[in-house]
Amino acid sequence: MRIGWVSLQDFRSYREVHWRPDPSLSILVGPNAAGKTNLLEGVAYLALLRSFRRAPDGVLVHRDAATGIVRGEVRRTDRSALIEIEIPRQGRKQVLLNGKRPARHSELSGALRVVTFLPDDLDLIKRGPGERRSYLDEVAYQVWPGAAAEQAQFERTLRQRNAFLKRGADDPVTWAVWDERLADSGARLVARRHQVVTALSGFLTDAYRDIAGKGRVEFVYRAMWTDRPEAGVEDLRADLHRALEASRRTDAERRITTVGPHRDDPNLLVDGRDARYEASQGEQRSLVLALRLAAHRVIREITGEEPVLLLDDVFSELDVDRAVALQAALPPSQTVVTTTALEHVPLEGAIFEVRGGEVVPR
Amino acid sequence: MSFEGPLQRLVDELARLPGVGRKSAQRIAFHLLSVDETDARRLAQAIIDLRDRVGYCRRCFNVTSSDECAICRDPRRDPAVVCVVERPQDVVVMERTHEFHGRYHVLGGALSPISGIGPNQLRIPELRRRVAEEDIEELIVATNPTVEGDATAMYISREFKPLGVRVTRLASGLPVGGDLDYADEITLGRALAGRVEI
């Protein structure tokens, strides 16, 4: 799969831009704040239907406009698809697939898949478990059409249960109902996350060795409420239900759900050591690259299609060894790289200059 | 820009309606200005009648222009089977099937603590009273397959099963005549979970 063209209208710093990336590798070069990341963000928006920086939709709209528009064509060997998204400053976005509103969200899932390498990726390792939960959920989202709805259902149910606790948790039957609904949606979510962990395990160590040369990486899914995250939905549901009932007193006191998948701690180990606290800076840097490469391999393995690679100013952060290793490990997918200086990028490709809201081939 | 007096007032009022934007409001207002006066008055009268004459059935809370709705008054309907729905519009949808011959109970929404809606904000106390006073054998819960609708269905099951009432939930599954391809994954998942032996 590859992107034929993308066009942005009143998106971030762009009033209007139309860009045809190279079928294999494009390098976007320009000074800071020229709009390179914004262009990449627009491309990723077609796949994720949200900002890869997790910015709220409202801030994506150009400050002088009420609505931003992202359009793009995705080509496959046998067909092409047109994705069009209208993003209002306030309210719901409209998404069209081939000119028609998709009957359901999952129709769009897989229309375009991307793997992003971002400057903040080190947060995946250095920061709390929330980053790693999101990483797992994002891979699931790109691979399984049902995952988006499962995630939304869990979030919604959690919000409802928390609202119930905030309002004083007065009715035992209602309480039992929300416990059961949360146990059900939470079990599905965690079964999915564990499915990703399992799929990754085959690739993570390989990808890490591609970058660091040696080492062994494990992804361990830890949850306070179960010691068998690998179990099926039924068992997980029973475990979570038990834990929710056991934490009722605490939940009532704190007026929030204190146990569940939203508190789980997916952990990365390098040679058996906790990557967050015990790995060296260098190991952490290699590990983030490995996480992204492994995500790419999992998506390719399960969907049978090469996702598009988006690398935002990644090489300038790397020492020579890792830059060379990453270059060698990059799969032959369509790739877009941004940089402030071409000498940072050890890759050959079509060069585009980004400045003043325009993208010009060199 | 805005128009003078009554025209602008109507545009403002129309624009407050659900699903009507500024432009549609203007289009409707100018349309009403251009049609026959009787047409416009008929619309106005319909709105007045709606507010004056339409209320809720004292038994099932369906909309009705009398004390009790036509379904509750119909002696051919089976009073032992009650279909529980969220909104009066859902009654219309069920009725269109011509397959259901019991009565209804309209809850007026679904459980949603976020919006401050608990069982007592719904017509669940009224349902409890009906179960106590009428000979209801089965409640068919036809709330929406949403987070809130599912929670409401479960609440009703927990609340009324101990009273000896049979509580059932509408099966959700594949649309008849549709390809498997067209079923979205959640629907398919539910259909799988609720599969029956043949």
Side-chain angles (χ1 to χ4, degrees):
Chain A
M1 112 180 21
R2 65 183 180 84
I3 293 158
W5 54 262
V6 57
S7 91
L8 307 177
Q9 208 179 308
D10 294 321
F11 183 88
R12 288 280 195 188
S13 56
Y14 291 97
R15 289 312 316 229
E16 182 143 28
V17 69
H18 187 87
W19 180 51
R20 287 182 178 278
D22 187 84
S24 50
L25 191 120
S26 308
I27 301 171
L28 298 168
V29 62
N32 283 321
K36 305 182 296 294
T37 302
N38 295 345
L39 181 55
L40 217 56
E41 190 176 29
V43 174
Y45 201 97
L46 292 170
L48 306 173
L49 303 182
R50 56 166 183 73
S51 154
F52 63 28
R53 290 187 260 194
R54 309 227 189 109
D57 278 348
V59 311
L60 303 178
V61 181
H62 190 282
R63 60 181 162 339
D64 296 334
T67 315
I69 297 173
V70 183
R71 303 164 70 226
E73 182 205 48
V74 183
R75 292 191 186 160
R76 289 170 158 85
T77 41
D78 54 342
R79 69 206 140 102
S80 72
L82 178 64
I83 306 173
E84 298 168 282
I85 308 159
E86 201 178 285
I87 310 163
R89 188 176 293 283
Q90 278 163 353
R92 290 168 73 91
K93 61 184 148 242
Q94 296 266 14
V95 186
L96 296 181
L97 182 63
N98 294 322
K100 276 185 281 186
R101 196 190 302 223
R104 52 192 77 87
H105 209 270
S106 63
E107 267 180 42
L108 275 162
S109 157
L112 173 65
R113 297 189 186 89
V114 297
V115 170
T116 57
F117 291 67
L118 306 175
D120 294 339
D121 276 355
L122 263 180
D123 289 351
L124 272 175
I125 305 198
K126 290 193 161 185
R127 293 186 59 173
E131 303 283 333
R132 293 181 288 283
R133 289 194 298 266
S134 302
Y135 167 84
L136 294 175
D137 290 342
E138 280 162 23
V139 174
Y141 172 84
Q142 296 219 58
V143 170
W144 291 289
E150 288 166 2
Q151 289 163 18
Q153 213 159 42
F154 172 76
E155 293 296 332
R156 180 88 188 157
T157 310
L158 180 63
R159 279 184 58 207
Q160 290 286 18
R161 188 178 187 272
N162 285 339
F164 173 74
L165 292 168
K166 285 230 163 52
R167 286 172 185 273
D170 43 8
D171 177 37
V173 179
T174 310
W175 200 338
V177 164
W178 288 116
D179 281 0
E180 191 165 340
R181 298 315 302 155
L182 194 66
D184 183 66
S185 56
R188 289 174 200 282
L189 179 73
V190 171
R192 202 61 103 175
R193 284 183 186 162
H194 200 269
Q195 215 175 343
V196 178
V197 168
T198 307
L200 280 168
S201 68
F203 295 112
L204 209 43
T205 290
D206 284 352
Y208 185 78
R209 285 183 185 158
D210 285 348
I211 303 297
K214 61 180 170 52
R216 183 172 44 85
V217 179
E218 289 162 273
F219 214 140
V220 184
Y221 196 90
R222 286 188 198 142
M224 297 271 286
W225 50 274
T226 184
D227 49 14
R228 48 175 183 178
E230 71 287 352
V233 174
E234 302 285 316
D235 290 336
L236 290 172
R237 189 188 292 129
D239 288 357
L240 182 52
H241 197 247
R242 210 172 298 126
L244 286 168
E245 283 187 338
S247 68
R248 277 189 166 198
R249 183 187 289 233
T250 323
D251 286 8
E253 271 167 23
R254 301 207 201 148
R255 300 187 162 222
I256 198 146
T257 304
T258 56
V259 65
H262 58 298
R263 296 280 177 99
D264 288 353
D265 186 13
N267 228 296
L268 284 156
L269 305 178
V270 178
D271 292 326
R273 288 169 296 122
D274 187 324
R276 186 180 178 191
Y277 298 115
E278 297 173 273
S280 70
Q281 292 274 353
E283 286 172 324
Q284 291 182 335
R285 283 186 187 281
S286 298
L287 187 52
V288 277
L289 298 176
L291 277 173
R292 295 307 187 188
L293 288 170
H296 183 280
R297 290 174 197 182
V298 164
I299 294 171
R300 182 176 55 190
E301 169 90 359
I302 296 176
T303 67
E305 293 185 312
E306 295 265 354
V308 173
L309 281 170
L310 306 173
L311 286 73
D312 190 19
D313 198 18
V314 166
F315 286 100
S316 64
E317 298 277 315
L318 298 177
D319 55 49
V320 178
D321 288 346
R322 275 191 200 85
V324 170
L326 175 60
Q327 177 231 333
L330 283 180
S333 311
Q334 185 183 33
T335 303
V336 183
V337 181
T338 71
T339 184
T340 47
L342 286 174
E343 60 268 23
H344 292 320
V345 182
L347 298 167
E348 296 284 323
I351 298 167
F352 299 87
E353 284 186 42
V354 181
R355 61 162 62 104
E358 289 187 16
V359 183
V360 189
R362 182 187 274 184
Chain B
M1 71 161 268
S2 55
F3 304 102
E4 278 176 34
L7 181 57
Q8 187 59 40
R9 249 174 54 216
L10 179 61
V11 171
D12 291 344
E13 288 300 329
L14 289 170
R16 289 169 59 188
L17 300 177
V20 181
R22 207 106 281 272
K23 275 201 177 142
S24 309
Q26 276 183 22
R27 187 155 9 109
I28 296 167
F30 274 97
H31 173 77
L32 291 171
L33 199 57
S34 69
V35 294
D36 250 24
E37 194 185 327
T38 49
D39 290 349
R41 287 196 180 278
R42 207 169 46 232
L43 173 66
Q45 194 59 48
I47 295 173
I48 291 166
D49 287 351
L50 174 80
R51 296 313 305 223
D52 283 353
R53 299 208 203 138
V54 178
Y56 295 103
C57 170
R58 67 187 158 99
R59 187 191 300 273
C60 77
F61 300 94
N62 189 10
V63 285
T64 177
S65 46
S66 47
D67 203 25
E68 214 173 18
C69 76
I71 295 168
C72 285
R73 274 182 286 138
D74 188 341
R76 292 164 300 175
R77 309 288 298 217
D78 182 358
V81 185
V82 171
C83 178
V84 182
V85 297
E86 290 183 19
R87 305 166 312 155
Q89 295 95 304
D90 302 328
V91 173
V92 179
V93 178
M94 282 295 287
E95 283 299 290
R96 237 183 261 141
T97 65
H98 301 296
E99 301 278 2
F100 178 68
H101 308 294
R103 287 174 174 170
Y104 291 92
H105 190 82
V106 182
L107 293 171
L111 289 179
S112 176
I114 292 172
S115 326
I117 300 175
N120 294 333
Q121 281 69 48
L122 301 172
R123 294 190 188 102
I124 284 179
E126 288 84 349
L127 182 59
R128 214 172 281 132
R129 200 173 315 134
R130 282 185 73 179
V131 168
E133 290 171 3
E134 301 171 26
D135 282 325
I136 295 174
E137 289 164 16
E138 181 177 359
L139 294 174
I140 301 175
V141 186
T143 51
N144 294 331
T146 56
V147 166
E148 293 76 16
D150 284 342
T152 309
M154 190 169 288
Y155 182 92
I156 290 169
S157 154
R158 282 178 178 262
E159 193 69 10
F160 292 96
K161 260 191 186 161
L163 302 178
V165 182
R166 186 167 175 237
V167 182
T168 54
R169 175 102 167 101
L170 281 196
S172 65
L174 301 177
V176 174
D179 281 324
L180 269 191
D181 285 359
Y182 284 166
D184 73 295
E185 295 66 22
I186 294 275
T187 311
L188 200 53
R190 278 170 176 264
L192 199 61
R195 66 190 182 277
V196 291
E197 209 159 306
I198 52 168

